[in-house]
Amino acid sequence: MAKFEELAATIRQQITAGVWQVGEKLPSLREQTFQSGMSLMTVMHSYQILEGQGWIISRPQSGYYVAPKAEFLSVPKAQNRMAHIGKVDMNAYIFDILQTISDPDIVPFGSAFPDPSLSPLSQVTRALAAVAREITTAELLDYLPPGNFSLRSAIAKRYAQAGVNVSPDEIVITAGALESLNLSLQAVTKPGDWVVIEDPCFYGALQAVEKLGLNAVSVTSDPQSSIDLAALADVLASTEIKACWLMTNSQNPLGYTLSIEKKRQLAAMLEQHNVVLIEDDVYSELYFGQEKPKPAMAYMPQRNSLHCGSFSKSLVAGFRIGWVAAGNYAEEVKKLQLMSTLSTSVPMQLALAKYLSTQNYDRHLRGIRKTLEQRKNLAWQCLKKHLPENVIINYSASGYFLWIELPAAVDASRLCAIMLDHHVSIAPGNMFTTGGDYNNYFRINVSYPWNSREEEAVMRLSSEIRRLENPENIFGYNK
Amino acid sequence: MAKFEELAATIRQQITAGVWQVGEKLPSLREQTFQSGMSLMTVMHSYQILEGQGWIISRPQSGYYVAPKAEFLSVPKAQNRMAHIGKVDMNAYIFDILQTISDPDIVPFGSAFPDPSLSPLSQVTRALAAVAREITTAELLDYLPPGNFSLRSAIAKRYAQAGVNVSPDEIVITAGALESLNLSLQAVTKPGDWVVIEDPCFYGALQAVEKLGLNAVSVTSDPQSSIDLAALADVLASTEIKACWLMTNSQNPLGYTLSIEKKRQLAAMLEQHNVVLIEDDVYSELYFGQEKPKPAMAYMPQRNSLHCGSFSKSLVAGFRIGWVAAGNYAEEVKKLQLMSTLSTSVPMQLALAKYLSTQNYDRHLRGIRKTLEQRKNLAWQCLKKHLPENVIINYSASGYFLWIELPAAVDASRLCAIMLDHHVSIAPGNMFTTGGDYNNYFRINVSYPWNSREEEAVMRLSSEIRRLENPENIFGYNK
């Protein structure tokens, strides 16, 4: 557990134990820094987490106080919910929101991708230009699954660097993690099989489940407690589950990263029931701590798992290169790819392999992690400053999303439509669920530089939230 | 109808009418050239077609004779065959055969792609290098469906050049025609729907039909009479068909190109029954005649069709760029792509757009057409020289495949396995069917330079065919 998480846990225990009563003032950041011996940044992270979780509130010019609702938080929120996923409606606005990223006139809070100016564009295009000069006919011929060997080898080396053993032979290069996910699900299931997904989760998983004719049990996850393993255990004991699709690092949209202990428990549980783990790990490079978090599959000795990765979030999106470490399923994944897209552009694979052969990627990652952490903090402060007090901002110490809970009366889809008219996109909660329990949530992308344009967008967001919360105050607004 | 087809049709009529009797000698090439006023090449094509179809046979140093079996050929071979496609078995050897293309030690008669040395590699990589130097962040951001506008615009211009009206807005860039085909089928059908396919046909269509849970009626096609439109009409009248998946130009594996008249009939038939046409037209640039054949969709005024194209066969395979002109289904196709692969590598799209903005593509196509025609003729002569007399070589005047009919006793899958041991691949007929009626057929790729290595491979092929035909002659062979 990271230090800021330890401190947050300690303070939560203290509140639960009554050390700090509702309404009481907590030690200031400075005092806490002094008391805990931790850095100011660590303490700030802890307080942000607690505030995001609703345990404490901050009052400008005054400090942090135990929140009125803190007393209810001891009861775990997560619960098991069974759902047969029916027709997933590819809402028109999902498409609209995704398209906003290429429209320079729209503040892209709804985007799924990090600020593209964070890409080391000149470095990767230099590699591409070199490939274009040097590529041979024989290399161009090597376009069938599993993909270019030097790229697979470079990816295997990155696994090794993170302490995970993966052979290049297990890796299949794909057109991005979305193709990896689709191929992985196809490789281990047949129509009618049951799988477990999280709720809320990446909409691509919902779509894949629907497209492949699978049945899904969704296990509720939340930003505080992450996935409810007790609920998952119930599901595994009562239903014959084929595969479990999860994000254990920087979960999209909630942002949490499972602790090592939870990953171990998850892994043991799945191996006990012989359930395949399909892990979507596209944000794993964008951690804020000291060490790259391992995937849960690293804790599965039998390695009955497929691990999906990508360069789209950590390096450059437009190249469209991802992979899946498919273990024993590699042959099946290759055959499925041969039937669907055949393979991925050879020059792009070679360009990435060339780029990865340098130290540039690690240098770039160190930089982007720092930048994303700074921007997330700026965004957090800005959101806290402007959004209504009853809006909960769930902070997570990795990636570039914040998960926002609006007052129950506010419909985030409605807010989304209104904000698009104001040239601001957000990603409403019902993009990430089929249950519809997240109507008053949205995901915000905070990877962009935090300037007046962003602040104005937040102020507009705030005023629209207030209008939607109290429609009777605004004559004619609902007409 | 092309001139050589006219002449072939005339001679067929003459034989049917008894002008030329079985065993009788036909006018020599020179005589026929003089009589018909056509070029030697045209006459040669006609004779090759007739020979491929089994109407005539050639005797070395002597000339062309009406074949003994010609009298049976007046009875149309094609017939309607209903088939519910069950589990399509992705036979291990399909994968093996596809992989042979990157193994320099194997004579790649089984390959689906043209000789890669025919690619204008330095031209396209020069375009790619230029793109790598010039690409902007904004361009890299433009990676969502439908794909890069300048590439779509260049493709639309090529349609216009061929006399077909397609707007860039109808076009979606894909990772190749295989993705186009899969997305097209998904866009117009739901599981359980009925579609029409040809038999034999491209195995990718069989796999897509199975994967999507569709029911298929296969309409028999053959190299002589192409698709049986009367049978198709029966199917359309008796079954509620959602879509019809066809290749009208250089059908894979048979090689035929539908006449304009047949395309018109097909188009009218489909429009009458409101059936969507999905056309796979990846070989359309590789015609041998004067004019690029139009797709059948050009004859559908209501344009209820999707037209799949690619640069993989005509330019370079390793780039993995294709498209679908999806008409009214463009929105649906875009959404489906957004759910599966998201999109295609941006630099590759820009590189192709840049290349297409020059005259180089047309220049390249003129060259490759001529080379393929020459090589096909060389291959034809070599095959005629070495293969047993009872082997029928179906010639087609486009593309780079020949469709070979073996004596009924010879199992082409068996032959395929034996030939792979001899480092020669072929594509056995049962790759292209689920009915299993093509066990004694195979497809041969004749796009490679025809040297001693190829001739030796053909001689080996010939001797293995003889051995398989008469196993009793070879003691212990079947053990």
Side-chain angles (χ1 to χ4, degrees), chain A residues 438-453:
Chain A
Y438 299 95
N439 286 340
N440 59 319
Y441 291 79
F442 69 92
R443 186 192 71 187
I444 182 167
N445 182 322
V446 294
S447 67
Y448 289 80
W450 215 259
N451 298 326
S452 57
R453 184 172 103 127

PDB file of all heavy atoms in Angstrom, chain A residues 438-453:
ATOM      1  N   TYR A 438     -25.813   4.788 -12.697  1.00  0.00           N
ATOM      2  CA  TYR A 438     -24.786   5.845 -12.631  1.00  0.00           C
ATOM      3  C   TYR A 438     -25.228   7.086 -13.394  1.00  0.00           C
ATOM      4  O   TYR A 438     -24.418   7.794 -13.964  1.00  0.00           O
ATOM      5  CB  TYR A 438     -23.446   5.308 -13.151  1.00  0.00           C
ATOM      6  CG  TYR A 438     -22.964   4.157 -12.303  1.00  0.00           C
ATOM      7  CD1 TYR A 438     -23.220   2.835 -12.664  1.00  0.00           C
ATOM      8  CD2 TYR A 438     -22.321   4.410 -11.095  1.00  0.00           C
ATOM      9  CE1 TYR A 438     -22.816   1.787 -11.854  1.00  0.00           C
ATOM     10  CE2 TYR A 438     -21.919   3.369 -10.279  1.00  0.00           C
ATOM     11  CZ  TYR A 438     -22.165   2.056 -10.663  1.00  0.00           C
ATOM     12  OH  TYR A 438     -21.776   1.027  -9.850  1.00  0.00           O
ATOM     13  N   ASN A 439     -26.548   7.328 -13.365  1.00  0.00           N
ATOM     14  CA  ASN A 439     -27.083   8.490 -14.071  1.00  0.00           C
ATOM     15  C   ASN A 439     -26.544   9.801 -13.539  1.00  0.00           C
ATOM     16  O   ASN A 439     -26.486  10.783 -14.270  1.00  0.00           O
ATOM     17  CB  ASN A 439     -28.613   8.509 -13.975  1.00  0.00           C
ATOM     18  CG  ASN A 439     -29.216   7.460 -14.887  1.00  0.00           C
ATOM     19  OD1 ASN A 439     -28.564   6.998 -15.820  1.00  0.00           O
ATOM     20  ND2 ASN A 439     -30.451   7.081 -14.608  1.00  0.00           N
ATOM     21  N   ASN A 440     -26.167   9.816 -12.275  1.00  0.00           N
ATOM     22  CA  ASN A 440     -25.680  11.077 -11.694  1.00  0.00           C
ATOM     23  C   ASN A 440     -24.159  11.060 -11.484  1.00  0.00           C
ATOM     24  O   ASN A 440     -23.649  11.659 -10.542  1.00  0.00           O
ATOM     25  CB  ASN A 440     -26.404  11.377 -10.373  1.00  0.00           C
ATOM     26  CG  ASN A 440     -26.210  10.281  -9.346  1.00  0.00           C
ATOM     27  OD1 ASN A 440     -26.245   9.107  -9.694  1.00  0.00           O
ATOM     28  ND2 ASN A 440     -25.985  10.653  -8.095  1.00  0.00           N
ATOM     29  N   TYR A 441     -23.477  10.359 -12.372  1.00  0.00           N
ATOM     30  CA  TYR A 441     -22.007  10.329 -12.319  1.00  0.00           C
ATOM     31  C   TYR A 441     -21.439  10.744 -13.670  1.00  0.00           C
ATOM     32  O   TYR A 441     -22.105  10.576 -14.696  1.00  0.00           O
ATOM     33  CB  TYR A 441     -21.493   8.923 -12.015  1.00  0.00           C
ATOM     34  CG  TYR A 441     -21.771   8.429 -10.611  1.00  0.00           C
ATOM     35  CD1 TYR A 441     -23.032   7.941 -10.260  1.00  0.00           C
ATOM     36  CD2 TYR A 441     -20.763   8.457  -9.648  1.00  0.00           C
ATOM     37  CE1 TYR A 441     -23.281   7.475  -8.975  1.00  0.00           C
ATOM     38  CE2 TYR A 441     -21.014   7.987  -8.359  1.00  0.00           C
ATOM     39  CZ  TYR A 441     -22.265   7.500  -8.027  1.00  0.00           C
ATOM     40  OH  TYR A 441     -22.500   7.042  -6.754  1.00  0.00           O
ATOM     41  N   PHE A 442     -20.232  11.262 -13.656  1.00  0.00           N
ATOM     42  CA  PHE A 442     -19.516  11.369 -14.928  1.00  0.00           C
ATOM     43  C   PHE A 442     -18.012  11.251 -14.714  1.00  0.00           C
ATOM     44  O   PHE A 442     -17.509  11.411 -13.600  1.00  0.00           O
ATOM     45  CB  PHE A 442     -19.882  12.651 -15.692  1.00  0.00           C
ATOM     46  CG  PHE A 442     -19.407  13.951 -15.080  1.00  0.00           C
ATOM     47  CD1 PHE A 442     -18.184  14.516 -15.430  1.00  0.00           C
ATOM     48  CD2 PHE A 442     -20.228  14.630 -14.173  1.00  0.00           C
ATOM     49  CE1 PHE A 442     -17.786  15.724 -14.892  1.00  0.00           C
ATOM     50  CE2 PHE A 442     -19.821  15.844 -13.624  1.00  0.00           C
ATOM     51  CZ  PHE A 442     -18.591  16.388 -13.981  1.00  0.00           C
ATOM     52  N   ARG A 443     -17.327  10.923 -15.801  1.00  0.00           N
ATOM     53  CA  ARG A 443     -15.873  10.823 -15.784  1.00  0.00           C
ATOM     54  C   ARG A 443     -15.304  12.053 -16.467  1.00  0.00           C
ATOM     55  O   ARG A 443     -15.798  12.470 -17.511  1.00  0.00           O
ATOM     56  CB  ARG A 443     -15.443   9.563 -16.547  1.00  0.00           C
ATOM     57  CG  ARG A 443     -13.955   9.253 -16.481  1.00  0.00           C
ATOM     58  CD  ARG A 443     -13.566   8.186 -17.494  1.00  0.00           C
ATOM     59  NE  ARG A 443     -13.620   8.722 -18.848  1.00  0.00           N
ATOM     60  CZ  ARG A 443     -13.470   8.000 -19.955  1.00  0.00           C
ATOM     61  NH1 ARG A 443     -13.246   6.704 -19.882  1.00  0.00           N
ATOM     62  NH2 ARG A 443     -13.528   8.568 -21.143  1.00  0.00           N
ATOM     63  N   ILE A 444     -14.272  12.618 -15.855  1.00  0.00           N
ATOM     64  CA  ILE A 444     -13.647  13.798 -16.464  1.00  0.00           C
ATOM     65  C   ILE A 444     -12.170  13.523 -16.720  1.00  0.00           C
ATOM     66  O   ILE A 444     -11.465  12.931 -15.895  1.00  0.00           O
ATOM     67  CB  ILE A 444     -13.864  15.063 -15.583  1.00  0.00           C
ATOM     68  CG1 ILE A 444     -13.254  16.304 -16.242  1.00  0.00           C
ATOM     69  CG2 ILE A 444     -13.319  14.883 -14.181  1.00  0.00           C
ATOM     70  CD1 ILE A 444     -13.704  17.607 -15.587  1.00  0.00           C
ATOM     71  N   ASN A 445     -11.720  13.913 -17.910  1.00  0.00           N
ATOM     72  CA  ASN A 445     -10.327  13.749 -18.325  1.00  0.00           C
ATOM     73  C   ASN A 445      -9.555  14.983 -17.891  1.00  0.00           C
ATOM     74  O   ASN A 445      -9.877  16.099 -18.301  1.00  0.00           O
ATOM     75  CB  ASN A 445     -10.297  13.592 -19.852  1.00  0.00           C
ATOM     76  CG  ASN A 445      -8.899  13.359 -20.397  1.00  0.00           C
ATOM     77  OD1 ASN A 445      -7.922  13.941 -19.918  1.00  0.00           O
ATOM     78  ND2 ASN A 445      -8.793  12.517 -21.404  1.00  0.00           N
ATOM     79  N   VAL A 446      -8.543  14.792 -17.043  1.00  0.00           N
ATOM     80  CA  VAL A 446      -7.812  15.942 -16.504  1.00  0.00           C
ATOM     81  C   VAL A 446      -6.352  15.932 -16.959  1.00  0.00           C
ATOM     82  O   VAL A 446      -5.463  16.402 -16.258  1.00  0.00           O
ATOM     83  CB  VAL A 446      -7.906  15.982 -14.960  1.00  0.00           C
ATOM     84  CG1 VAL A 446      -9.338  16.245 -14.534  1.00  0.00           C
ATOM     85  CG2 VAL A 446      -7.397  14.690 -14.341  1.00  0.00           C
ATOM     86  N   SER A 447      -6.115  15.397 -18.156  1.00  0.00           N
ATOM     87  CA  SER A 447      -4.735  15.297 -18.639  1.00  0.00           C
ATOM     88  C   SER A 447      -4.270  16.565 -19.347  1.00  0.00           C
ATOM     89  O   SER A 447      -3.101  16.686 -19.683  1.00  0.00           O
ATOM     90  CB  SER A 447      -4.611  14.114 -19.600  1.00  0.00           C
ATOM     91  OG  SER A 447      -5.341  14.367 -20.783  1.00  0.00           O
ATOM     92  N   TYR A 448      -5.206  17.494 -19.576  1.00  0.00           N
ATOM     93  CA  TYR A 448      -4.847  18.684 -20.358  1.00  0.00           C
ATOM     94  C   TYR A 448      -4.270  19.768 -19.463  1.00  0.00           C
ATOM     95  O   TYR A 448      -4.489  19.775 -18.251  1.00  0.00           O
ATOM     96  CB  TYR A 448      -6.093  19.188 -21.099  1.00  0.00           C
ATOM     97  CG  TYR A 448      -6.476  18.251 -22.219  1.00  0.00           C
ATOM     98  CD1 TYR A 448      -7.177  17.070 -21.956  1.00  0.00           C
ATOM     99  CD2 TYR A 448      -6.086  18.510 -23.527  1.00  0.00           C
ATOM    100  CE1 TYR A 448      -7.484  16.176 -22.977  1.00  0.00           C
ATOM    101  CE2 TYR A 448      -6.397  17.636 -24.546  1.00  0.00           C
ATOM    102  CZ  TYR A 448      -7.092  16.468 -24.264  1.00  0.00           C
ATOM    103  OH  TYR A 448      -7.379  15.586 -25.267  1.00  0.00           O
ATOM    104  N   PRO A 449      -3.503  20.692 -20.052  1.00  0.00           N
ATOM    105  CA  PRO A 449      -2.973  21.794 -19.248  1.00  0.00           C
ATOM    106  C   PRO A 449      -4.139  22.565 -18.635  1.00  0.00           C
ATOM    107  O   PRO A 449      -5.176  22.714 -19.280  1.00  0.00           O
ATOM    108  CB  PRO A 449      -2.225  22.674 -20.256  1.00  0.00           C
ATOM    109  CG  PRO A 449      -2.309  22.018 -21.564  1.00  0.00           C
ATOM    110  CD  PRO A 449      -3.198  20.830 -21.480  1.00  0.00           C
ATOM    111  N   TRP A 450      -4.024  22.972 -17.420  1.00  0.00           N
ATOM    112  CA  TRP A 450      -5.162  23.559 -16.713  1.00  0.00           C
ATOM    113  C   TRP A 450      -5.111  25.072 -16.801  1.00  0.00           C
ATOM    114  O   TRP A 450      -4.544  25.739 -15.953  1.00  0.00           O
ATOM    115  CB  TRP A 450      -5.182  23.042 -15.276  1.00  0.00           C
ATOM    116  CG  TRP A 450      -6.595  22.895 -14.835  1.00  0.00           C
ATOM    117  CD1 TRP A 450      -7.283  23.770 -14.041  1.00  0.00           C
ATOM    118  CD2 TRP A 450      -7.513  21.865 -15.194  1.00  0.00           C
ATOM    119  NE1 TRP A 450      -8.563  23.341 -13.896  1.00  0.00           N
ATOM    120  CE2 TRP A 450      -8.748  22.170 -14.584  1.00  0.00           C
ATOM    121  CE3 TRP A 450      -7.432  20.725 -15.988  1.00  0.00           C
ATOM    122  CZ2 TRP A 450      -9.883  21.375 -14.733  1.00  0.00           C
ATOM    123  CZ3 TRP A 450      -8.552  19.929 -16.132  1.00  0.00           C
ATOM    124  CH2 TRP A 450      -9.765  20.252 -15.508  1.00  0.00           C
ATOM    125  N   ASN A 451      -5.683  25.619 -17.864  1.00  0.00           N
ATOM    126  CA  ASN A 451      -5.644  27.058 -18.105  1.00  0.00           C
ATOM    127  C   ASN A 451      -7.023  27.686 -17.926  1.00  0.00           C
ATOM    128  O   ASN A 451      -7.959  27.031 -17.486  1.00  0.00           O
ATOM    129  CB  ASN A 451      -5.129  27.329 -19.524  1.00  0.00           C
ATOM    130  CG  ASN A 451      -3.702  26.817 -19.695  1.00  0.00           C
ATOM    131  OD1 ASN A 451      -2.917  26.863 -18.743  1.00  0.00           O
ATOM    132  ND2 ASN A 451      -3.396  26.304 -20.873  1.00  0.00           N
ATOM    133  N   SER A 452      -7.134  28.944 -18.318  1.00  0.00           N
ATOM    134  CA  SER A 452      -8.399  29.666 -18.107  1.00  0.00           C
ATOM    135  C   SER A 452      -9.542  29.001 -18.882  1.00  0.00           C
ATOM    136  O   SER A 452     -10.678  28.965 -18.418  1.00  0.00           O
ATOM    137  CB  SER A 452      -8.249  31.117 -18.534  1.00  0.00           C
ATOM    138  OG  SER A 452      -7.842  31.183 -19.879  1.00  0.00           O
ATOM    139  N   ARG A 453      -9.234  28.448 -20.060  1.00  0.00           N
ATOM    140  CA  ARG A 453     -10.265  27.767 -20.835  1.00  0.00           C
ATOM    141  C   ARG A 453     -10.882  26.620 -20.035  1.00  0.00           C
ATOM    142  O   ARG A 453     -12.096  26.452 -19.975  1.00  0.00           O
ATOM    143  CB  ARG A 453      -9.645  27.227 -22.131  1.00  0.00           C
ATOM    144  CG  ARG A 453     -10.638  26.572 -23.073  1.00  0.00           C
ATOM    145  CD  ARG A 453      -9.951  26.244 -24.399  1.00  0.00           C
ATOM    146  NE  ARG A 453      -9.652  24.820 -24.486  1.00  0.00           N
ATOM    147  CZ  ARG A 453     -10.022  24.045 -25.523  1.00  0.00           C
ATOM    148  NH1 ARG A 453     -10.688  24.566 -26.526  1.00  0.00           N
ATOM    149  NH2 ARG A 453      -9.711  22.781 -25.558  1.00  0.00           N
TER     150      ARG A 453
END
